[in-house]
Amino acid sequence: MAPVIHMPEPLCLVKNTNGRLVANPKALTILSAITQPVVVVAIVGLCRTGKSYLMNRLAGKSKGFSIRSTVQPHTKGIWMWCVPHPKKPDHTLVLLDTEGLGDVEKLNAGCQREVARLKARSRCAQCESGDKKNDTQIFVLALLLSSTFVYNTMNKIDQRDIDLLHYVTELSGLLRTVSSPDLDGIEDAADFVSICPDLVWTLRDFYLDLEAHGQLITADEYLENSLRPKQGTDQGLQNFNLPRLCIQKFFTVKKCFIFYLPTLRKKLAQLETLRDDDLDPEFVQQVADFCSYIFSHSNAKTLLGGIKVNGSRLESLVLTYVNAISSGDLPCMEDAVLALAEIKNLAAVQKAIAHYDQQMFQKVQLPTETLQELQDLHRASEREAIEVFMKNSFKDVDQGFQKKLETLLEARQDDFHKRNSEASLDRCSALLQDIFHPLEGDVKRGIYLTAGGHRLYVQKTEELKAKYYQEPRKGIQAEEALQKYLQSKESVRDRILQTDLALIEREKEMEEHAALTTCERQRNIVAQVKDSGIRQPSCHSPVGVEAPRSISELQCDVGWTGGLPQERSN
């Protein structure tokens, strides 16, 4: 059986010493001895709003955590009370009460430093970050250590409370990643949920009517309505919606309790000593309902992978987070908005670029037939990307991140133009190779190295060009690719032309030689005829006797066209 931890009263777990958070060794020793899983309930809120009263009730006591109604807060740092869990015998309930936010002493100290800054006319980051940074650190540390986080605010849920919770949840995520590298890049939703606490929002001195559109609503519905984003894409709505969306993502389990004023204000100073009979019955019931819910629904603190946290593991978490905060990994609240805006806007830019890439890869089939086709697809995807950015951006001062997005989109556009051109060249090169391959084969076989071969080569080239033009989706480099190909074949065309001209010249020479040979032969025949004494035929020749043919007739018979020597006179 696990040893029973006996803590008759709370003990300081973390305190602020000279501007640095320091863990109390005595409290850590108590935690290290707890072997059971721990249910860690932490409460955070403004000072003097009754946080300690609720934590005492969860401990089953009327006294324990300090309760005062004076202007000076009594809880400093984070106080711890480990008690047996009233409904889970094998668990230990660890209650963490925190120093109130907005401490009057801190504000006074901040004012004194601000006066000194104005006198010196200089700005010192350390001067601003001291006290409010402590608020941030306490808030974030309580959030990281808890399995149930109680956010205690006054009267109603307003934008300031939502913004503060939003900033702290974001900062806790940063610190968790910095101090636990193995948690960096968590993408699985179930893993993320397992390490986030449940949210219980308590509204003290609540005075509103729980109604919406004339209908009664529950406290949970009131919380749900307060965290519901509005429809729209303008920057004002984005600033309104972002903290709500982040809170909903961070806290998957959310519960709301309202508390009326417990008694007359003049009796609040004796709240520790008042019996339930002295308090407003509705308030007593509200507190009972709150405690019952915490006991029944709060789960053990869990790490990534479903690891249950016991006392020794909680001790390690305390040391890990306190050391991380002390090393300066957590920004002060003054810088939190700027840091958060940068983180959110960088993420918004990345989401927008990812959306643009997804749309372009889905819609664009490279190469596009025309440049205008690619331009139209780019503009459509660009509009959607900017809408994604506007939806996820946060306080983008002077539209600096939007301008960065536009620059990145312009670079993406240039990249698509380059890839489109390359895809077109690749497509056209493959087409030209396929279409002109038979012609290149015929050239290698010497088919066009004949007289008249150049004319046939040009004719075939024109036929293949027409076939190339008919092929679809060649892209914007179609003509340039064709001209480059034809230019690369100019030497082949010139060789065919020169061979063609040479062969034609040779044939002409051969024809002329043959003609000269024929002429010489005919001259010899003419000479032989003349020397043989054959007379010219006359009209007085006997019938049936063929008259001798004239020389001109002989010329016609042999096709002679050249001149003859003149006949000698008798």
Side-chain angles (χ1 to χ4, degrees), residues 65-119:
F65 291 112
S66 179
I67 299 176
R68 292 292 186 272
S69 60
T70 63
V71 294
Q72 291 186 340
H74 282 251
T75 303
K76 295 288 187 177
I78 299 180
W79 286 68
M80 175 187 76
W81 202 351
C82 301
V83 297
H85 198 290
K87 291 192 175 181
K88 298 179 179 179
D90 55 343
H91 288 66
T92 295
L93 181 61
V94 178
L95 303 174
L96 301 180
D97 190 16
T98 62
E99 179 177 349
L101 306 177
D103 193 322
V104 173
E105 293 178 355
K106 296 177 186 176
L107 294 177
N108 288 336
C111 290
Q112 293 171 6
R113 282 190 293 273
E114 181 67 6
V115 170
R117 184 188 68 81
L118 292 174
K119 288 182 179 179

Side-chain angles (χ1 to χ4, degrees), residues 382 386 399 401-411:
E382 182 183 44
I386 292 176
Q399 289 75 51
F401 284 91
Q402 184 172 343
K403 292 175 183 176
K404 180 176 182 179
L405 171 62
E406 291 170 355
T407 300
L408 292 174
L409 289 174
E410 184 177 351

Side-chain angles (χ1 to χ4, degrees), residues 151-169:
Y151 188 34
N152 195 67
T153 63
M154 293 297 292
N155 307 134
K156 61 186 179 67
I157 298 175
D158 59 24
Q159 187 64 38
R160 181 186 60 180
D161 297 328
I162 292 174
D163 287 339
L164 179 59
L165 182 59
H166 170 221
Y167 299 149
V168 172
T169 56

